[in-house]
Amino acid sequence: MTRHLLVASRGAWSGPGVDRFLADAAALAGTGAPVTVLLVADAVPLIAGGMAELLAAGAEVLVDRFAAAQRGVAGLPLPDGARWADLTEPAELFLDPAVKVVWH
């Protein structure tokens, strides 16, 4: 099955699009497809809430450590199943031709 990397870069204040994007990621993970969601830039504060459905569906959630520090949320606890990431790991996924990447 194709692996997917979904990159969320917009915050909740940018409109309902990020919620829909994460719901789509959860739906995709619910089919059994391997899904990794990377929170970068303004999407990083979403770790404070809204990840339960995504994690329950089996998606892997990576949170950009640098963006979290820049936004003052690096001290927030991550939900169970989410983890901090430097951009080395996502870069490997970006470069893997077998991974489908979607950026929002």
Side-chain angles (χ1 to χ4, degrees), residues 36-47:
T36 299
V37 173
L38 172 63
L39 302 179
V40 298
D42 290 337
V44 169
L46 295 171
I47 62 171

Side-chain angles (χ1 to χ4, degrees), residues 6-8 10-12 14-28 37 46 50-51 53-54 102 104:
L6 286 81
V7 182
R10 296 180 183 172
S14 68
V18 70
D19 291 333
R20 291 184 192 132
F21 184 71
L22 295 177
D24 287 346
L28 184 60
V37 173
L46 295 171
M51 295 288 112
E53 179 185 358
L54 187 59
V102 179
H104 179 266

Side-chain angles (χ1 to χ4, degrees), residues 36-89:
T36 299
V37 173
L38 172 63
L39 302 179
V40 298
D42 290 337
V44 169
L46 295 171
I47 62 171
M51 295 288 112
E53 179 185 358
L54 187 59
L55 291 165
E60 176 182 31
V61 176
L62 302 177
V63 183
D64 177 24
R65 186 185 316 270
F66 177 79
Q70 294 295 307
R71 285 154 181 82
V73 296
L76 291 177
L78 293 179
D80 290 340
R83 61 187 170 87
W84 296 111
D86 297 315
L87 290 182
T88 303
E89 181 180 358

